[in-house]
Amino acid sequence: MAKTATITYGDKKIELPVIEGTEAEIAIDISSLRAQTGLITLDPAFGNTGSCKSAITYIDGEKGILRYRGIPIEELAKNTRFTEVAWLLIFGRLPKQDELDRFSRQLTMNASLNEAFKHHFEGFPVDAPPMAMLSAMINTLACFHPQFNKIEDEETFEEVSARLISKVRTIAAFIYRRSMGLPYIYPDPKRRYVNNFLHMMFSMPYDEYQCDPDVEAALNLILLLHADHEQNCSTSTVRMVGSSRANLFTSCAAGVCALWGPLHGGANVAVLEMLEEIHKGGLTPQHCLELAKNKESGFKLMGFGHRVYKSFDPRAKILKKAADTVLDKLGVNDPLLDIARRLEELALKDPYFIERKLYPNVDFYSGIIMKAMGIPVNMFTVMFAIGRLPGWIAHWKEQHDDNTSRIARPRQVYIGPTTHDYVPMNKR
Ligand code: ACO
């Protein structure tokens, strides 16, 4: 394979290096193009632009492959849990037992928030959007832990990662309690990460939440499956902010803002909204399927299809099993869940969906599992953020550790007015 690519522009020929990744992905390195020719490349939404070299996550959308640090997602889902995957993503290898124990201890010790945080929560209206509160509160962590504005070594990095991953879960639960006018429930050091989250969400001072092991396992899976997805919008945002050497808390707070958008983290909410619309409008799942197939209707089946995965979404395949277990176990009687199951059943045998390889995606199943667990729909994107946080931290660290990294500063093709004189007010 050629190690250079040649670009011809006018009567000039420019040789550019070709880079090959470990999974044979090939890229033309255009970083010297402008210096050599004065030209830049234009790639709106970066659909064709590699913004970095990364050793964290590999995706092959055609084959339905997702690997964290080389390990297939199916193996991780079967053998481990969210906090171990967090360490793997951040530090690049599976932790040894003593390393995982140390990390777990740090997660436990850092679960509580400074008491002053309560005043911050109370400053928000009860109906404040959870993602706005989450972003603000992660930024607030930078005020309470300024010692982490500069991270010099791996030990400190582990400490700050544990703090952030642990406190985000407490912040998320407090956001829910605030919105419901319920008393805050403090973290319980005897519970594991996910169990503790559900406790802070659903315990009452007079009635401690008993966590079903299947529910705990399903939430662990949801978080683990969302933990990284290489250069998606929020992760690229974290890298962009971090490239200015902004601290980890602030960079991740920016990631939350990017994730908030309906085109990104909001898709699991769209699934539930669609199910509600179907229910309210008295549509049958069959009718809804017909609408989705009719291009004139402008209606799409939310939770089906994926931009990257064109055979199947490996995360959805794993979650489907968990959805079946949790829904059966909880025996919830919810018409929306019945609609979801029927839609899935119909779509999977419909030629329109089969031919176009439109399968339920991760958002379809994560939405219905979280609904069955009693997590309110407006908290779904917050759950996604808790899951994605280790990925954001891993990418921030990868960039921070790379001594060749520079502040990200894209260019543009200017299409505004050419130079003209200032016109005084009385002459306009
Ligand atoms: N319902 C009905 N038809 C669909 C759907 C759907 N959900 N998704 C795609 N199609 C059809 C398209 O109309 C197109 O049909 P055509 O070939 O006859 O024109 C064909 O399938 C191919 O689809 P594209 O639009 O080319 O797929 P694209 O990659 O552009 O879009 C997307 C992917 C945005 C995810 C799309 O499938 C969709 O809108 N799905 C619903 C929203 C959703 O669930 N988003 C979450 C994605 S997962 C995530 O973000 C974590």
Side-chain angles (χ1 to χ4, degrees):
M1 187 66 73
K3 291 278 183 268
T4 57
T6 310
I7 289 186
T8 308
Y9 180 70
D11 54 4
K12 252 185 157 180
K13 267 194 170 116
I14 305 108
E15 297 264 296
L16 294 170
V18 169
I19 310 283
E20 191 173 337
T22 49
E23 291 286 349
E25 278 174 318
I26 302 197
I28 303 173
D29 177 354
I30 55 142
S31 52
S32 66
L33 182 68
R34 186 167 171 275
Q36 288 196 59
T37 63
L39 298 174
I40 61 164
T41 53
L42 181 64
D43 183 19
F46 312 127
N48 202 48
T49 293
S51 59
C52 60
K53 291 187 216 160
S54 178
I56 301 171
T57 287
Y58 175 68
I59 299 175
D60 183 332
E62 299 303 322
K63 297 190 185 136
I65 291 175
L66 170 63
R67 296 182 201 136
Y68 296 160
R69 299 288 187 182
I71 306 176
I73 195 72
E74 294 78 6
E75 282 186 37
L76 291 169
K78 198 162 30 161
N79 294 305
T80 183
R81 54 182 201 277
F82 175 63
T83 47
E84 186 175 355
V85 161
W87 204 95
L88 165 74
L89 284 168
I90 298 168
F91 296 102
R93 60 174 171 82
L94 288 168
K96 300 206 174 85
Q97 190 62 56
D98 61 322
E99 290 168 328
L100 186 58
D101 292 346
R102 188 181 60 220
F103 192 55
S104 299
R105 255 194 323 276
Q106 284 180 330
L107 289 169
T108 304
M109 275 158 30
N110 287 296
S112 55
L113 302 172
N114 187 302
E115 280 297 294
F117 258 76
K118 282 195 195 156
H119 304 298
H120 291 271
F121 282 107
E122 261 119 55
F124 289 109
V126 281
D127 58 353
M131 288 295 272
M133 291 171 82
L134 183 65
S135 173
M137 289 309 203
I138 294 177
N139 244 329
T140 306
L141 286 175
C143 312
F144 285 91
H145 307 286
Q147 73 273 31
F148 295 120
N149 283 351
K150 246 186 152 164
I151 306 173
E152 307 284 9
D153 53 60
E154 293 280 296
E155 220 172 277
T156 316
F157 206 94
E158 188 177 74
E159 205 185 326
V160 67
S161 306
R163 252 177 227 236
L164 184 47
I165 292 171
S166 190
K167 289 186 193 303
V168 142
R169 166 193 55 172
T170 312
I171 290 171
F174 279 28
I175 287 172
Y176 170 67
R177 306 293 295 199
R178 162 74 182 148
S179 72
M180 300 298 286
L182 294 169
Y184 301 121
I185 300 290
Y186 283 51
D188 173 354
K190 292 186 295 304
R191 295 179 185 247
R192 294 189 113 150
Y193 188 85
V194 166
N195 190 316
N196 211 352
F197 170 72
L198 291 167
H199 158 67
M200 287 189 273
M201 286 284 285
F202 300 125
S203 280
M204 293 302 270
Y206 48 83
D207 183 14
E208 197 157 304
Y209 177 78
Q210 302 302 326
C211 191
D212 182 295
D214 285 329
V215 168
E216 183 179 349
L219 191 51
N220 235 314
L221 257 189
I222 292 177
L223 298 181
L224 181 158
L225 296 173
H226 281 86
D228 195 40
H229 217 229
E230 47 117 308
Q231 309 305 322
N232 57 86
C233 177
S234 56
T235 303
S236 299
T237 301
V238 170
R239 288 188 88 118
M240 171 72 97
V241 175
S243 79
S244 74
R245 305 283 181 266
N247 67 67
L248 178 67
F249 299 121
T250 296
S251 305
C252 290
V256 171
C257 296
L259 188 70
W260 187 0
L263 296 186
H264 190 8
N268 51 15
V269 176
V271 172
L272 261 293
E273 283 172 353
M274 176 191 74
L275 296 176
E276 253 155 37
E277 284 298 308
I278 297 172
H279 183 55
K280 269 197 277 169
L283 280 177
T284 62
Q286 184 64 55
H287 188 181
C288 184
L289 215 70
E290 295 310 321
L291 270 183
K293 294 192 297 187
N294 176 3
K295 298 275 184 268
E296 307 289 294
S297 72
F299 176 82
K300 278 203 171 170
L301 212 51
M302 288 296 147
F304 282 73
H306 197 277
R307 173 54 57 84
V308 177
Y309 295 116
K310 291 303 178 194
S311 52
F312 63 93
D313 179 341
R315 303 165 301 172
K317 219 173 168 182
I318 297 167
L319 265 196
K320 177 179 164 36
K321 262 203 198 146
D324 291 341
T325 311
V326 168
L327 264 55
D328 289 346
K329 183 84 179 267
L330 295 178
V332 274
N333 194 3
D334 183 337
L336 299 194
L337 300 178
D338 294 340
I339 295 172
R341 281 187 143 175
R342 184 79 186 121
L343 269 180
E344 176 200 13
E345 194 186 317
L346 290 172
L348 288 178
K349 55 184 187 212
D350 188 294
Y352 173 97
F353 287 86
I354 295 170
E355 278 156 26
R356 288 169 180 75
K357 299 186 171 158
L358 298 170
Y359 302 100
N361 56 46
V362 67
D363 290 318
F364 185 77
Y365 295 117
S366 63
I368 60 177
I369 295 176
M370 288 194 288
K371 172 102 171 59
M373 282 176 187
I375 295 173
V377 175
N378 72 347
M379 285 291 289
F380 283 8
T381 322
V382 170
M383 301 307 299
F384 191 158
I386 299 175
R388 185 54 53 87
L389 187 60
W392 291 340
I393 297 173
H395 282 271
W396 192 95
K397 181 176 188 304
E398 186 175 65
Q399 178 172 262
H400 177 264
D401 291 350
D402 174 3
N403 54 19
T404 65
S405 85
R406 301 161 72 206
I407 185 165
R409 188 6 179 132
R411 293 197 174 260
Q412 62 166 17
V413 175
Y414 176 71
I415 55 163
T418 51
T419 183
H420 60 276
D421 290 335
Y422 175 80
V423 182
M425 190 62 84
N426 60 359
K427 298 251 169 68
R428 285 176 211 170

